[in-house]
Amino acid sequence: MKLDKKIMEEKIREYRTFKSCSESTLMGLCETAEYPISQAEMCKLACGFAGGMGGTFDEGTCGALTGALMANGLLLDDEVQIKANAKILFNTFKEEYGSVCCGTITNNGEDKSPCVDCCVFIANKLADLLDE
């Protein structure tokens, strides 16, 4: 599956102005892939992962990563590949940002400046994996 990364990035950047990282990443990926799920359903699916899972920040996994993991599961049918991609996404994100913890990346939610780039980074990595 080949995703248009430019369109995907534009969608993620636009959504991130008013949606969480988990919602923005999931929506940007699924809409670019033309996956048949409504925006409302994606928001319901992803909203609990906002702010490091329920707004826990210092304890929860970054929403950009959880959004990409949800998209990975929706866009693939092969459970073995879904799990393999999930491990790659986790490790790639941790290597890039030094942590998968939302609070570590955002100073417990005080500095959300890295958020958009986190969303775009991990969405691009998933796009690459889907293209293999």
Side-chain angles (χ1 to χ4, degrees), residues 6 9 19 24 27 43-44 48 53 62 80 88 91 94 100 103 105 109 118-119 126 130:
K6 183 178 178 189
E9 182 174 342
K19 295 286 186 190
S24 301
M27 292 168 68
C43 286
K44 283 175 36 180
M53 296 186 180
C62 172
V80 172
I88 292 167
N91 289 333
K94 188 173 183 180
V100 298
I105 297 165
C118 288
C119 295
L126 178 55
L130 295 172

Side-chain angles (χ1 to χ4, degrees), residues 26-77:
L26 176 63
M27 292 168 68
L29 281 158
C30 287
E31 287 180 4
T32 304
E34 298 180 357
Y35 186 81
I37 185 172
S38 72
Q39 285 186 350
E41 290 173 314
M42 285 187 278
C43 286
K44 283 175 36 180
L45 181 63
C47 74
F49 294 93
M53 296 186 180
T56 58
F57 292 106
D58 62 333
E59 297 176 5
T61 303
C62 172
L65 179 56
T66 57
L69 293 173
M70 286 183 274
N72 179 53
L74 289 171
L75 299 175
L76 290 172
D77 293 323

